[in-house]
Every structure is written in C-alpha cells, then in structure tokens.
Amino acid sequence: MARTPDVRFWFDPTCPFAWMTSKWLRLVLEDRDYAVEWRLISLRMLNAGVDYDAHFPPEYEAGHTAGLRLLRVVAQARAEHGAEVVGPLYEALGTRVFDTPPDSPEGADSATGREDRGTREYVVPLLEQVGLPADLADALDDESWDEELRAETDEALALTGKDVGTPIIWFRAPERPDTDGVAFFGPVISRLPAPEEAAELWDHVVALASFPGFAELKRSLRERPQLVGFGVQEGSVGQTEDWHGGSRRQKK
C-alpha cells in the first residue's frame, strides 16, 4: 500500500525555479523521511490567457509549449507505469534541461534551445535512461492528456490562488496527520543551500507559511539561477534581473 504523501510538489519540467526548488527538496529528503508525490502543472495552461508576444520575451512561448509536450509524456508514463516513475523521470528531464551544457549554440535559454526540449530526439534518451519505453514519446503530440493536465494545474491553483507560477508545494508534517497541511508557491531560489542547511531552511519556510495570517513575502529582483544550462556555473552568481509579474515580462 502506497504511503500517504507528506509533500506534494507540482512542477513544469521547463521551469528553472521549480527545478532549483526540487533539488533543494531532494537535499531535505536526505535528512527527513518525507514521502513526496510529484504532480504536474503546465505553465502553458497557466498562461493560456496571456498574449505572449506582448508580455513575454520571445523564447517563452516555445519553452512553455515544450513543457506541455513533456508533461504529456510524464502523464502517460505515470498512467502506464505508476506514480513512482514520475520523480526519476522529472530528475532526468531537469538534469538534461538545466544541469547540462546547452546543445544549441544560441544557448538553452534561446527560443531554439527551449523548443528542442519538446522533441522525440530530446526525450527518448531520457526515457531510456530511467528504464521507460521509448514509445512513450508518442505522447508529445497527444492532446488527449491535456484535460488531465489542466485539471491537475487547476488543483494546484485552488490551493494558492491564480497569481502564481511554479513550483507549488503542499506539505503536512508526518507528526501532524490530523491537520490540513499548508500550500504555497515557491519558494523561489536561485542558489542551492548547503546540504547541512537544507532542512533548516525548509523548516523556516514551512513555519512562516503555516502562520494563518501569512500571505506573501516577495521581491521581484532575482539572480539568474545557478544552473549550467543558463551559463551560471556552480559557485558563481547569476546576473540580477527584475522578474516583475513573476517572470521577465516585457510589460507590467
């Protein structure tokens, strides 16, 4: 019988900040016995009503569309092989997207680099890497998964409200199974904490989010995430940018 999750983590595989937070959560899991359920949320669906040309840099639509295509693959993998394959597949996707030097000479953050992520050539080796059949890549174009992905996206937004991005996390401490738990967007981090600091930082975030009157603590200035795919090497600090509106929107 599957253990009841202590953490539910909604991710889009092309969101760098979701990836950073997932890496931090994996560090926490080295110190804490939490059961994690990896769930799906689509940035393309979340921004369905947004005029990409007017509000986003040119590479965003390609990236969010590739994310939706990859989520279809994850959804089919989960349906056919069980929820336990989602975490390893997400880890393989995130490592390839963000922790590997980009293939495109224009860089992983370009429209071309982002679009490539939603192709068979990109995803098949990752499926094989985690022991899943290559024909799951057929789901890239299978829009029949979109209803399930939309419902899962709406499920996450129902916990936090709609003016958020990814990741979304729900957490309930194992020692308090009688509570409803707490949900929040983020935390958005650009660098990983040291392994010995990861659990302490988690405790601080959960304590703040658990206060009934707490709503938001935010600044829009962010460092580019410390990810090789973004040209920021471990130990260095990315350029600070203003992500007003939760992303690098061109209009407020």
Side-chain angles (χ1 to χ4, degrees):
M1 185 175 181
R3 177 177 160 185
T4 301
D6 307 303
V7 182
R8 292 189 174 100
F9 188 107
W10 282 264
F11 68 90
D12 183 301
T14 59
C15 175
F17 293 105
W19 176 241
M20 288 295 292
T21 303
S22 76
K23 292 172 68 174
W24 167 37
L25 176 57
R26 292 180 193 276
L27 289 176
V28 173
L29 296 178
E30 294 177 7
D31 188 64
R32 304 286 173 82
D33 183 26
Y34 295 154
V36 179
E37 180 183 8
W38 301 96
R39 297 189 62 76
L40 315 180
I41 181 171
S42 167
L43 286 170
R44 189 67 184 84
M45 291 177 175
L46 196 152
N47 290 289
V50 174
D51 182 341
Y52 274 82
D53 290 337
H55 291 278
F56 288 113
E59 69 274 9
Y60 265 58
E61 186 167 15
H64 289 177
T65 300
L68 173 58
R69 290 168 61 80
L70 292 173
L71 284 169
R72 292 169 182 161
V73 174
V74 179
Q76 182 159 331
R78 179 176 62 184
E80 294 184 359
H81 300 277
E84 63 272 13
V85 306
V86 177
L89 181 53
Y90 177 35
E91 187 170 19
L93 287 166
T95 300
R96 178 69 177 86
V97 172
F98 298 114
D99 290 341
T100 306
D103 295 329
S104 170
E106 301 171 18
D109 206 23
S110 67
T112 301
R114 292 181 181 223
E115 187 174 8
D116 287 346
R117 299 169 186 167
T119 63
R120 293 186 66 90
E121 293 77 14
Y122 197 94
V123 75
V124 165
L126 302 176
L127 290 167
E128 293 175 340
Q129 177 182 320
V130 296
L132 291 171
D135 62 9
L136 285 172
D138 294 343
L140 287 165
D141 299 304
D142 187 351
E143 296 181 4
S144 69
W145 290 107
D146 291 3
E147 183 177 354
E148 180 174 323
L149 294 172
R150 190 171 290 107
E152 213 153 319
T153 296
D154 290 345
E155 174 190 42
L157 297 179
L159 295 172
T160 60
K162 295 181 179 180
D163 188 21
V164 295
T166 57
I168 290 174
I169 294 175
W170 172 90
F171 173 71
R172 180 169 58 198
E175 64 273 16
R176 301 191 63 188
D178 55 328
T179 66
D180 293 332
V182 61
F184 45 85
F185 157 55
V188 174
I189 58 174
S190 293
R191 314 181 205 176
L192 279 179
E196 63 273 15
E197 298 171 340
E200 180 183 9
L201 180 59
W202 173 267
D203 290 341
H204 291 322
V205 170
V206 169
L208 181 60
S210 298
F211 176 68
F214 177 75
E216 184 175 42
L217 178 68
K218 182 176 181 179
R219 57 185 173 206
S220 61
L221 291 177
R222 304 181 187 177
E223 299 169 1
R224 285 180 69 82
Q226 196 177 73
L227 298 168
V228 172
F230 279 78
V232 184
Q233 304 298 321
E234 185 176 354
S236 60
V237 177
Q239 177 183 349
T240 298
E241 301 168 320
D242 192 346
W243 288 60
H244 52 82
S247 59
R248 289 172 291 167
R249 291 178 184 262
Q250 295 175 324
K251 294 184 179 180
K252 293 185 179 179

